[in-house]
């Protein structure tokens, strides 16, 4: 049974600070890793994806992957109130296949003005 | 804009009455997925189509079926909805070319069973 674990939170971060979200996964063979943002009552929106060990930066977002530790993280710099949402970590077994995503339950992030 | 569109946004159905949810896409992606997300839970994959090939997850109940008549459309049929099937149903698409397999979601259909 593939599992993706996230701290459900809520994680409360002051506006302008760095928010750090973490995720671990059980399937060592997983190849693709994604972060989705989901506002209450809305569908998931893709924020970042990462396939290789190390860091990947896109604007205020940085995804970090450590396959040896089976650990993925998302850093949000200069946090804004609009970043308040649930962040879903998702893992895919293949690098380029059609298999679907295994999601964690998400971390509820609150940015305090 | 190219996108994934789900209809309806909200669906109320009676216990045991068949219901169909629809998804269309203008992205020309060859993979379409259906996920079920219950309140405060992770989205759970029900099945997916890779072109015309249907792939069912092992633990998806027989009550759930899907059809993909063409590249653009995919339907989720719930033959006899129970109270436990109330959830947000999410359609997603993915393109299987160039090693890029990110999935993009429609806005979801929230199903209520009364």
């Amino acid at each position: 049974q593939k599992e993706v674990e996230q701290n459900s939170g809520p994680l409360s971060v002051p506006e302008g600070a760095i928010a750090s979200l973490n995720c671990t996964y059980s399937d060592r063979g997983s190849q693709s890793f994604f972060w989705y943002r989901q506002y209450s009552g809305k569908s998931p929106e893709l924020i970042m994806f990462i396939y290789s060990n190390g860091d990947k930066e896109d604007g205020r977002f940085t995804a970090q992957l450590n396959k040896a530790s089976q650990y993925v993280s998302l850093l949000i710099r200069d946090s804004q109130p609009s970043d308040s949402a649930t962040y879903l970590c998702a893992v895919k077994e293949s690098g380029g296949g059609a298999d679907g995503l295994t999601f964690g339950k998400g971390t509820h992030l609150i940015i305090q003005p | 804009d190219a996108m994934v569109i789900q209809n309806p946004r909200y669906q109320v159905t009676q216990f045991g009455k068949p219901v169909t949810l629809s998804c269309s896409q203008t992205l020309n992606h060859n993979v379409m997925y259906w996920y079920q997300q219950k309140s405060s839970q992770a989205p759970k994959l029900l099945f997916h189509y890779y072109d015309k090939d249907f792939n069912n997850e092992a633990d998806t109940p027989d009550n759930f079926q899907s059809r993909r008549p063409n590249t653009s459309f995919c339907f989720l049929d719930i033959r006899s909805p129970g109270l436990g099937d109330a959830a947000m149903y999410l359609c997603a698409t993915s393109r299987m070319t160039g090693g890029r397999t990110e999935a993009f979601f429609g806005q979801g259909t929230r199903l209520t069973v009364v």
Side-chain angles (χ1 to χ4, degrees), chain B residues 94-109:
Chain B
S94 183
R95 180 186 65 173
M96 305 312 296
T97 57
R100 295 286 295 271
T101 63
E102 306 91 84
F104 297 94
F105 285 82
Q107 66 270 57
T109 294

Side-chain angles (χ1 to χ4, degrees), chain A residues 23-83:
Chain A
C23 169
T24 59
Y25 58 94
S26 64
D27 184 1
R28 185 171 287 278
S30 299
Q31 298 291 324
S32 309
F33 307 88
F34 306 86
W35 282 99
Y36 285 83
R37 177 175 64 197
Q38 187 173 30
Y39 293 114
S40 181
K42 304 295 185 182
S43 65
E45 174 191 7
L46 182 65
I47 298 297
M48 292 284 292
F49 58 90
I50 186 166
Y51 299 124
S52 303
N53 277 329
D55 295 359
K56 179 182 178 183
E57 185 174 322
D58 183 2
R60 295 188 297 113
F61 300 95
T62 298
Q64 299 174 317
L65 173 61
N66 184 327
K67 288 186 179 179
S69 300
Q70 295 173 239
Y71 177 89
V72 194
S73 66
L74 178 70
L75 300 178
I76 306 175
R77 289 180 298 281
D78 188 23
S79 298
Q80 303 296 310
S82 59
D83 294 327

Side-chain angles (χ1 to χ4, degrees), chain B residues 36-51:
Chain B
Q36 178 194 62
Q37 187 178 24
K38 297 185 178 180
S39 181
S40 300
Q41 298 291 314
K44 180 180 180 299
L45 181 65
L46 296 174
F47 26 58
H48 74 272
Y49 273 95
Y50 187 171
D51 294 325

